[in-house]
Amino acid sequence: FEPWRDAADDHGITVGFALSPGHLSDPGYRAIAEREFSLVVAENAMKWDATEPTRGSFSFGQADQVAAFATANDADLYGHTLVWHSQLPGWVESLTAPADLRDAMYDHIDAVAGRYAGDVVAWDVVNELWNDDGTRRPSVFQRVLGDGYVADALRRARQADPSAKLCLNDYNTDGVNAKSTAMYDLVVSLKAQGAPIDCVGFQSHLIVGQVPSTYRQNLQRFADLGVDVRITELDIRTTVPASASALAQQARDYRTVVEACLAVARCDGVTVWGIDDGHSWVPGVFSGQGAALPWDAQYQAKPAYTAVAEAL
Ligand code: XIL
């Protein structure tokens, strides 16, 4: 097969991966990273705890490595993420005065989005703002600032980097359900207010055999609102060790996801959340689960790799 990125290019989409720059010293990892992908997102390096661990003190070492890899590899750089309840330093968590938290949020957006302004194609401005039932997640931002923090963050990000598309990103919003409908209604409301919202990301941390039946329909309904959509963190996990039949089903599931993106004109592309099963976040978080990525821990291509290559 030709590299994924070349096949994707013919469709006008990009294929991305989440990069942890420390892994680049591994030649097997690096070779796949350089060959296959036309977009790079930092797996952790651009998050708040990495970039502003103490107030007003910014550290961009790892984030700059991710940006440099994108440039060297002629790949797009995708920003992840500015405002999120997780991987958030304790000092932010403990702010209780609205004016103070808003200042901290604005300073963070100015510094991080500002540093990469002009280099980033899109930012996940707010990540995971919903509970699964479609109510607001009670993050410190929600509790202290109220619903309006999302529009405020978007507006600030637009000022900090006028050329980046601005996205909201979440998980379990991949099919039509209460959570994705809350996201949908928010996009409608943001557009009505004139807040800058350009795109919605669908993380798609999926389970083998359980791609939602409404996956494509869900992408399409957002596209029909006039926002771009992207599969932002794709992995498809199963019980480990994975059986041959699970890996075959996983390949069909990867294909279903890629085909859904190809079928939706405003789908910008697909990003996988890592490269190989040896470096995936899944086993550390979902006990007994893994084998979620297209390459195994020895960097051998799995059936999922072939299925994506064939779909593209
Ligand atoms: C994960 C990373 O993959 C892990 O290395 C880290 O320990 C925790 O975060 N949703 C997101 C991503 O938006 O940032 C998360 O990444 C996975 C879930």
Side-chain angles (χ1 to χ4, degrees), residues 20 43-44 47 80-81 84 87 127-128 169 171 203 205 233 273 281:
S20 288
E43 183 170 10
N44 290 299
K47 294 172 180 175
H80 176 80
T81 178
W84 186 28
Q87 293 175 276
N127 193 32
E128 300 183 350
N169 189 54
Y171 65 95
Q203 292 185 8
H205 294 294
E233 304 186 12
W273 204 243
W281 76 303

Side-chain angles (χ1 to χ4, degrees), residues 93-258:
E93 196 78 57
S94 64
L95 299 178
T96 53
D100 197 20
L101 179 60
R102 188 172 292 100
D103 278 350
M105 184 177 83
Y106 285 168
D107 289 348
H108 185 75
I109 291 170
D110 291 352
V112 179
R115 184 174 185 87
Y116 302 104
D119 298 331
V120 164
V121 290
W123 268 107
D124 290 333
V125 176
V126 183
N127 193 32
E128 300 183 350
L129 72 113
W130 302 107
N131 292 316
D132 279 347
D133 67 0
T135 59
R136 292 285 186 114
R137 181 194 290 274
S139 68
V140 67
F141 305 103
Q142 181 68 37
R143 284 184 279 112
V144 175
L145 302 176
D147 288 355
Y149 85 89
V150 175
D152 288 344
L154 289 164
R155 288 197 186 91
R156 195 71 178 197
R158 182 68 98 218
Q159 285 178 8
D161 182 355
S163 68
K165 293 199 297 184
L166 304 180
C167 314
L168 304 176
N169 189 54
D170 218 317
Y171 65 95
N172 289 351
T173 47
D174 313 305
V176 174
N177 58 35
K179 191 177 189 178
S180 65
T181 298
M183 182 74 101
Y184 181 93
D185 292 343
L186 177 59
V187 171
V188 171
S189 149
L190 289 168
K191 286 201 159 257
Q193 293 165 54
I197 175 70
D198 304 307
C199 37
V200 175
F202 300 85
Q203 292 185 8
S204 301
H205 294 294
L206 301 175
I207 296 170
V208 165
Q210 297 182 34
V211 181
S213 60
T214 51
Y215 196 86
R216 163 147 71 111
Q217 175 197 341
N218 191 50
L219 296 179
Q220 186 66 56
R221 71 172 174 153
F222 281 88
D224 290 344
L225 291 179
V227 289
D228 296 329
V229 297
R230 182 174 190 92
I231 315 310
T232 49
E233 304 186 12
L234 180 63
D235 52 27
I236 310 183
R237 62 188 183 265
T238 188
T239 306
V240 285
S243 66
S245 70
L247 295 179
Q249 181 61 47
Q250 179 182 61
R252 290 191 286 276
D253 294 340
Y254 267 89
R255 175 191 283 270
T256 299
V257 169
V258 171

